């Protein structure tokens, strides 16, 4: 075992070089680093938000609300479909995710089912549609969304939200935020260096759902006051200051999804800030048709369930572009245009978790971590050298190599170093020392049992290996568990611990072996220095 | 070659009768466990907002903060369940509260922030930490799940590597460590957060290390001395591992000691838990895990060793 095989020496040399090369960028100032040629590794340790400062936001996509909205829309679709087909019905209502309707004329039930089946859109799997239509007793028809469709909807909503958030944040100019999906319906946003998340939240939190809806002019002021609306009409609060609320047709003429562009502009006549927009082809057509049919009537521009303005249609708007007037300042108009450009969020996002570490505090944490790491390592060096003399020096050298390797691997793999990770690093070093202690104690036992120094050292390594492996496997188990169940800093801790298990095994066993092997060759000792 | 000081300091071969003290240790541990239980059920753990949910605001001032005054002002804002405590230095404090139901936590946090700053000129508060009740519940559940699964896996590993008696001994001892660690966290009201779970898992890892390494020696000695009574072999194995236990324990404590003093208030709960856990894990290896094996006896060679009554010395 102690024989200095060539592959061991090569491996040790290579690993130490690897450690130094990949650790070095962390110690050099950025300027020197930039001046180095391109092939030199320049990746520094990827510090967690708790160390470099920044914001962590966890949002949950409100899929329940999304489902409700889809159901509400489907109720309207059912109403329109049956009316268009001239089928009389009653009792159209939605309860617990099931839409029920009763057809007046028994002979028309089948026709109604055929019409309603057309409402579904094909599923991604290609089999069936997302809406199930079933007939029940008493001329009733029930419509439900298939579970697959609901899941796919939620999943699509999360993906869409991530895209939208990315576009919104990009336009803010925040430095490289990471936006990731977590679980089924959560989105994590990590913005390093951003220690004031309010700006982020201001643009992320808005749904920016824009619709154009016709004002229901048949609603009387009495009905408005009592809040009783005819079917298909809703009361929407107003943000324009002219009326407290408007009665609007539920069905939107056009929605913000069909926008292709939005810009902050100034109104040609009044000179006030407005948002000008442009529709895509189908949006232009819908908007053109609706305005042509409803000249003299009012339509409302609704943003996040609030009426921004409700102008009267003077002429048909056929070109597909128009402008939103309202009580805008230049800032609010450009913010709105940004939100419209980046698209609406498909569902509301609820903030579930927010953590922020100031950059200053992060720097303090790095300093405290570095100091405690240095003190911990120094204490271990002194202790192990006091305990084992020359062999202690070997163990200390192995420890240095261990730190280099861990930092090197973490820089190379861009794993995140967190504050608890530093504590994990210290514990790793302590356990690495343990491996050497186990080996050396074994050697002493074997030497005491009368073996020659060479044989004692050799057997020491051989026998200690079993215990060391057992001990490290249990460490690895807990690291694995922490990694799969922990979040954020705990994950970082587990990762550091896991890397540490492997580097410790390597440095504590192989590197000290090579060093002791060399020493045996050079000194030809008659007695083990630790015996 | 001159002997090094520490090598002389730690006796080469010892003959402590550890198992003899096991009954005393058992009573001692039992008292501590009961004490931990009492503290755990009367005052509970000081759950951080990771597990409790809520809002945490950090307050900083160029001068020392009058905590009583701050507490009064914070209470007067009408926030629920307000807690104010010092945080690291005299110049900073942590204000925690639960958001009012139905009110946006951020809006409320900003209102309270403004109200407090108005009363304390020069005070600054960085952005708040907000943890929703849903997330905090999941974090707590996940934390305990992690603890449970880690324990089960380790139990399986030891069973596989040794015998079931060893596995049971190790797991009882580790449970003992967990209870006492939670106990001291409860007694001292040290904040229990997600990182505390990490610390607890590390404590388990270290404690298991200790056990596995002594078990290893025990297994070897069982093969070596086929006729020696089990309790003597346990004593022998523990004595043989003693210098290693002392050296490793001290290096670990030395290394973490620096972090405990210089790591700052954020790292303190984590490191304190680890330091306490290392001490208690070492103790439970010697006085609980190994003596427990005596209760059931172990398989040696072909025949089952007879269980030995605890407390009755087999040797003068």
């Amino acid at each position: 075992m102690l024989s200095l095989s060539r592959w061991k020496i090569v491996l040790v040399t290579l690993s130490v070089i690897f450690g130094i090369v990949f650790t070095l960028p962390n110690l050099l100032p950025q300027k020197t680093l930039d001046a180095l040629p391109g092939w030199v590794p320049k990746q520094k340790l990827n510090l967690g938000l708790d160390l470099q400062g920044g914001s962590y936001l966890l949002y949950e996509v409100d899929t329940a609300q999304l489902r409700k909205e889809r159901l509400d829309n489907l109720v309207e679709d059912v109403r329109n479909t049956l009316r268009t087909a001239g089928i009389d019905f009653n009792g159209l209502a939605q309860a617990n995710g099931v839409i029920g309707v009763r057809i007046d004329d028994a002979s028309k039930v089948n026709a109604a089912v055929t019409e309603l089946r057309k409402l579904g859109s094909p599923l991604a799997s290609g089999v069936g549609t997302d809406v199930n239509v079933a007939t029940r007793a008493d001329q009733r028809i029930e419509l439900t969304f298939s579970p697959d469709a609901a899941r796919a909807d939620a999943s699509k909503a999360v993906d869409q939200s991530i895209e939208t958030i990315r576009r919104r944040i990009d336009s803010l100019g925040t430095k490289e935020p990471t936006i990731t999906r977590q679980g089924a319906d959560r989105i994590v946003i990590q913005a390093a260096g951003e220690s004031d998340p309010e700006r982020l939240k201001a643009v992320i939190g808005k749904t920016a759902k824009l619709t154009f809806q016709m004002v229901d002019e048949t609603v009387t002021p009495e009905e408005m006051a009592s809040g009783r609306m005819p079917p298909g009409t809703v009361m929407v609060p107003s943000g324009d200051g002219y009326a407290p609320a408007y009665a609007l047709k539920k069905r939107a003429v056009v929605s913000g999804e069909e926008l292709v562009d939005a810009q902050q502009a100034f109104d040609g006549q009044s000179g006030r800030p407005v948002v000008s927009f442009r529709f895509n082809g189908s949006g232009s057509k819908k908007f053109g048709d609706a305005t042509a049919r409803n000249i003299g009537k009012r339509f409302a521009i609704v943003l996040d369930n609030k009426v921004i303005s409700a102008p009267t249609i003077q002429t048909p708007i056929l070109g597909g572009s128009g402008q939103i007037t309202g009580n805008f300042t230049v800032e609010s108009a450009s913010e709105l245009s940004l939100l419209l450009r980046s698209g609406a969020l498909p569902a509301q996002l609820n903030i579930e978790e927010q953590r922020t570490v100031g950059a200053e505090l992060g720097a303090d944490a790095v300093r405290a971590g570095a100091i405690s790491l240095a003190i911990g390592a120094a204490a271990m060096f002194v202790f192990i050298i006091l305990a084992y003399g020359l062999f202690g020096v070997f163990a200390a050298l192995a420890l240095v190599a261990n730190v280099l390797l861990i930092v090197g691997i973490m820089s190379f793999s861009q794993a995140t170093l967190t504050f608890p990770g530093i504590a994990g690093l210290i514990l790793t070093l302590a356990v690495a020392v343990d491996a050497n202690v186990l080996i050396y104690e074994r050697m002493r036992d074997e030497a005491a049992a009368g073996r020659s120094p060479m044989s004692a050292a050799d057997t020491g390594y051989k026998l200690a290996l079993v215990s060391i492996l057992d001990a490290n496997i249990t460490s690895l188990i807990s690291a694995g568990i922490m990694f799969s169940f922990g979040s954020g800093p705990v994950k970082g801790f587990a990762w550091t611990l896991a890397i540490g298990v492997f580097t410790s095994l390597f440095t504590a066993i192989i590197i000290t072996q090579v060093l002791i092997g060399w020493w045996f060759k050079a000194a030809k000792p008659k007695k083990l220095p630790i015996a | 070659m001159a002997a090094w000081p520490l090598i002389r300091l730690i006796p080469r071969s010892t003959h402590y009768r550890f198992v003899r003290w096991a009954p005393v240790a058992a009573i001692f541990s039992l008292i501590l466990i009961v004490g931990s239980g009492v503290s755990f059920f009367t005052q509970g753990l000081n759950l951080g907002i990771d597990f409790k949910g809520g809002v945490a605001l950090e307050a900083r001032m160029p001068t020392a903060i009058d905590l009583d005054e701050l507490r009064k002002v914070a209470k007067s804002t009408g926030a629920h369940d307000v807690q104010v405590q010092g945080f690291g230095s005299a110049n900073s404090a942590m204000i925690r509260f639960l958001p009012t139901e139905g009110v946006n936590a951020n809006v409320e946090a900003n209102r309270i922030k403004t109200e407090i700053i108005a009363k304390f000129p020069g005070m600054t508060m960085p952005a708040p930490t907000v943890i929703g009740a849903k997330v905090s519940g999941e974090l707590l559940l996940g934390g305990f799940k992690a603890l449970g699964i880690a324990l089960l896996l380790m139990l399986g590993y030891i069973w596989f590597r040794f015998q079931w008696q060893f596995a049971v001994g190790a797991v009882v001892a580790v449970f003992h460590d967990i209870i006492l660690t939670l106990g001291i966290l409860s007694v001292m009201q040290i904040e229990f957060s997600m990182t505390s779970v990490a610390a607890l898992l590390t404590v388990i890892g270290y404690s298991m290390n200790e056990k596995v390494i002594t078990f290893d020696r025990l297994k070897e000695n069982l093969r070596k001395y086929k006729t020696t009574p089990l309790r003597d072999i346990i004593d022998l194995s523990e004595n043989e591992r003693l210098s290693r236990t002392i050296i490793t324990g001290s290096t670990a404590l030395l290394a973490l000691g620096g972090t405990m003093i210089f790591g700052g208030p954020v790292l303190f709960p984590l490191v304190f838990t680890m330091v306490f856990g290392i001490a208690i894990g070492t103790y439970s290896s010697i006085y609980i895990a190994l003596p427990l094996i005596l209760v059931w006896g172990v398989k040696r060679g072909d025949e089952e060793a007879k269980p030995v009554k605890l407390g009755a010395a087999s040797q003068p």
Side-chain angles (χ1 to χ4, degrees):
Chain A
M1 230 174 157
L2 266 184
S3 62
L4 282 169
S5 61
R6 196 161 290 146
W7 67 266
K8 252 183 220 168
I9 298 172
V10 171
L11 198 63
V12 167
T13 318
L14 282 182
S15 65
V16 170
I17 291 173
F18 171 91
I20 292 173
V21 167
F22 283 94
T23 303
L24 219 53
N26 292 293
L27 303 174
L28 297 175
Q30 193 61 43
K31 242 193 202 152
T32 323
L33 219 53
D34 291 338
L36 289 172
W39 50 268
V40 180
K42 285 175 189 161
Q43 283 166 316
K44 289 188 174 198
L45 271 177
N46 185 8
L47 298 179
L49 287 183
D50 53 347
L51 287 176
Q52 63 171 319
S55 297
Y56 171 100
L57 299 169
L58 174 74
Y59 282 99
E60 192 169 271
V61 180
D62 195 338
T63 47
Q65 180 231 350
L66 184 74
R67 248 176 89 70
K68 195 184 158 294
E69 219 164 84
R70 294 254 341 207
L71 282 164
D72 286 348
N73 280 339
L74 191 58
V75 170
E76 290 314 300
D77 287 339
V78 170
R79 190 191 317 282
N80 288 336
T81 308
L82 293 178
R83 270 198 195 143
T84 321
I87 299 169
D88 291 332
F89 62 93
N90 62 61
L92 175 61
Q94 186 259 113
N96 299 326
V98 180
I99 297 168
V101 64
R102 191 176 170 278
I103 307 298
D104 294 346
D105 184 349
S107 65
K108 286 194 176 162
V109 170
N110 283 338
V113 168
T114 318
E115 283 301 315
L116 291 177
R117 283 242 159 90
K118 290 181 191 156
L119 287 176
S121 32
L123 280 176
S125 60
V127 186
T129 59
D130 57 356
V131 177
N132 295 324
V133 183
T135 48
R136 299 270 180 266
D138 193 28
Q139 289 149 250
R140 276 183 64 81
I141 298 176
E142 281 182 4
L143 292 92
T144 48
F145 276 111
S146 73
D148 280 355
R151 250 193 310 276
D153 259 3
S155 170
K156 207 177 89 193
V158 175
D159 288 342
Q160 237 176 343
S161 302
I162 290 176
E163 267 314 297
T164 306
I165 291 172
R166 180 161 294 135
R167 277 197 299 269
R168 287 185 187 174
I169 293 184
D170 278 352
S171 59
L172 273 184
T174 299
K175 203 182 104 210
E176 292 171 43
T178 60
I179 305 164
T180 46
R181 185 195 187 116
Q182 192 185 74
D185 54 4
R186 291 191 178 156
I187 298 168
V188 172
I189 298 155
Q190 283 171 290
E194 177 76 75
S195 50
D196 182 17
E198 294 306 320
R199 218 159 56 103
L200 282 181
K201 278 156 60 186
V203 296
I204 295 169
K206 290 231 173 65
T207 324
K209 202 174 172 69
L210 182 78
T211 51
F212 294 83
Q213 282 161 270
M214 295 309 300
V215 175
D216 189 345
E217 319 254 8
T218 63
V219 176
T220 60
E222 290 75 47
E223 278 178 318
M224 280 295 284
S226 70
R228 269 199 316 274
M229 293 287 125
T233 297
V234 278
M235 203 155 87
V236 177
S238 153
D240 68 358
Y242 292 115
Y246 288 93
L248 304 180
K249 294 278 192 197
K250 255 190 202 169
R251 201 83 193 114
V253 174
V254 200
S255 74
E257 284 143 43
E258 311 211 56
L259 281 179
V260 284
D261 193 22
Q263 292 292 338
Q264 186 264 317
F266 293 96
D267 183 47
Q269 293 168 343
S270 64
R272 289 196 358 204
V274 293
V275 177
S276 72
F277 59 85
R278 206 152 43 82
F279 282 120
N280 62 15
S282 76
S284 307
K285 190 176 172 311
K286 283 188 215 166
F287 200 54
D289 287 352
T291 47
R293 260 189 285 123
N294 294 299
I295 289 181
K297 291 184 184 160
R298 299 171 78 195
F299 76 99
I301 302 166
V302 184
L303 182 75
D304 289 343
N305 205 32
K306 232 186 204 155
V307 176
I308 297 182
S309 62
T312 308
I313 301 169
Q314 312 284 356
T315 50
I317 303 169
L318 299 171
S321 61
Q323 59 183 37
I324 304 171
T325 52
N327 266 329
F328 292 128
T329 61
V330 174
E331 284 77 36
S332 64
S334 60
E335 193 189 290
L336 177 60
S337 60
L338 156 69
L339 292 176
L340 294 179
R341 260 203 317 277
S342 53
L345 291 174
Q348 200 182 319
L349 294 180
N350 299 325
I351 190 151
E352 287 292 335
E353 194 177 340
Q354 172 191 336
R355 292 172 197 266
T356 311
V357 176
E360 206 179 306
L361 207 65
D364 284 350
V366 172
R367 206 171 309 120
I371 290 175
S372 46
L373 189 63
I375 290 176
M380 270 189 284
F381 290 161
V382 171
F383 191 81
I384 193 106
I385 293 173
L386 276 181
Y388 295 111
L390 182 64
F391 279 19
V393 174
F394 291 159
L397 286 175
L399 273 188
V400 174
N402 200 352
V403 175
L404 285 177
L405 268 180
I406 295 177
V407 176
I409 291 177
M410 292 198 69
S411 305
F412 171 72
S413 67
Q414 287 291 291
T416 313
L417 180 69
T418 58
F419 212 5
I422 293 177
L425 207 63
I426 293 168
L427 191 86
T428 300
L429 296 186
V431 174
V433 171
D434 185 45
N436 282 121
V437 173
L438 278 168
I439 294 167
Y440 293 166
E441 291 295 306
R442 260 298 175 176
M443 288 185 188
R444 283 163 87 175
D445 289 351
E446 298 304 319
R451 283 182 195 266
S452 73
M454 188 69 165
S455 153
D458 207 17
T459 324
Y461 271 103
K462 227 177 267 167
L463 293 180
L465 191 64
V466 184
S467 310
I468 295 171
L469 279 180
D470 276 337
N472 278 287
I473 288 172
T474 45
S475 284
L476 208 55
I477 289 176
S478 67
I481 298 295
M482 275 189 259
F483 194 76
S484 37
F485 283 92
S487 69
V490 177
K491 259 202 164 97
F493 179 76
W495 189 240
T496 314
L497 211 61
I499 292 178
V501 166
F502 291 106
T503 59
S504 302
L505 281 176
F506 177 74
T507 55
I509 298 171
I510 310 281
I511 291 191
T512 57
Q513 225 177 91
V514 168
L515 290 174
I516 289 175
W518 263 329
W519 176 77
F520 262 101
K521 228 171 158 185
K524 303 200 167 50
K526 298 225 163 50
K527 190 169 167 291
L528 267 188
I530 56 171
Chain B
M1 186 171 282
W4 287 81
L6 262 172
I7 292 181
R8 255 191 265 147
L9 210 88
I10 300 168
R12 181 70 45 90
S13 65
T14 51
H15 301 283
Y16 295 114
R17 307 275 301 279
F18 291 106
V19 177
R20 195 163 159 187
W21 293 101
V24 181
I27 295 169
F28 176 66
S29 286
L30 220 58
I31 295 172
L32 291 183
I33 287 173
V34 170
S36 299
V38 169
S39 171
F40 192 83
F41 286 108
T42 50
Q43 57 176 356
L45 285 173
N46 177 11
L47 288 183
I49 73 166
D50 281 357
F51 297 135
K52 210 169 147 191
V55 181
L57 283 164
E58 203 196 321
R60 265 179 264 160
M61 285 247 282
T63 54
I65 296 178
D66 182 349
L67 286 179
D68 286 325
E69 187 61 27
L70 180 61
R71 199 164 287 135
K72 253 195 349 230
V73 172
K75 288 226 163 93
S76 72
T77 59
H80 289 282
D81 199 8
V82 187
Q83 283 176 29
V84 174
Q85 53 189 212
F87 188 67
S89 72
N91 294 354
S92 56
M94 189 67 100
I95 304 158
R96 292 189 292 172
F97 63 89
L98 294 177
T100 319
E101 214 161 308
V103 176
N104 185 318
N106 276 298
V107 175
E108 191 174 13
N110 281 331
R111 173 181 69 86
I112 286 164
K113 194 168 148 180
T114 329
E115 277 185 39
I116 293 177
I117 289 177
K119 297 265 172 61
F120 291 89
M123 183 180 273
T124 52
M125 287 190 194
T129 302
V130 179
I131 313 281
K134 207 160 154 191
V135 172
S136 63
E138 281 169 26
L139 285 177
L140 190 63
L141 197 71
F144 277 109
K145 232 194 232 167
L147 282 181
I149 293 179
L151 266 180
L152 272 180
L153 279 177
M154 287 180 190
L155 178 85
Y157 182 72
I158 294 177
W159 195 333
F160 164 76
R161 283 285 297 135
F162 304 97
Q163 298 175 32
W164 66 264
Q165 294 90 336
F166 289 68
V168 173
V171 167
V172 170
V174 167
F175 260 109
H176 162 271
D177 299 346
I178 295 174
I179 293 170
L180 291 196
T181 309
L182 287 177
I184 189 113
L185 291 181
S186 162
V187 168
M188 293 183 63
Q189 286 291 299
I190 291 174
E191 187 175 301
F192 191 79
S193 65
M194 202 59 208
T195 40
S196 309
V197 175
L200 218 50
L201 279 164
T202 317
V203 167
I204 294 175
Y206 188 90
S207 178
M208 278 290 185
N209 259 12
E210 288 287 317
K211 274 126 213 143
V212 164
I213 280 163
T214 326
F215 285 172
D216 235 56
R217 179 57 68 103
L218 178 62
K219 190 173 153 190
E220 194 184 316
N221 282 337
L222 280 173
R223 240 183 274 133
K224 221 183 298 157
Y225 311 100
K226 289 217 185 285
T227 50
T228 318
L230 182 57
R231 61 183 305 128
D232 293 344
I233 298 189
I234 290 179
D235 271 341
L236 177 72
S237 309
E238 288 188 346
N239 276 303
E240 281 179 353
R241 279 294 190 227
L242 192 61
S243 59
R244 173 259 155 203
T245 303
I246 293 172
I247 293 176
T248 300
S250 335
T251 44
L253 290 181
L254 271 176
L256 289 171
T259 322
M260 194 148 95
I261 299 165
F262 296 100
V266 183
L267 217 48
F268 180 82
L270 174 76
V271 181
F272 175 84
T273 313
M274 292 199 328
V275 166
F276 180 82
I278 286 171
I280 209 77
T282 308
Y283 158 83
S284 77
S285 302
I286 297 175
Y287 287 105
I288 296 186
L290 281 142
L292 257 180
I293 293 176
L294 277 178
V295 178
W296 297 284
V298 289
K299 230 178 144 180
R300 297 167 75 170
D302 298 327
E303 48 171 356
E304 195 88 23
K306 292 241 160 55
V308 180
K309 256 201 175 157
L310 276 176
S314 66
Q315 253 189 346

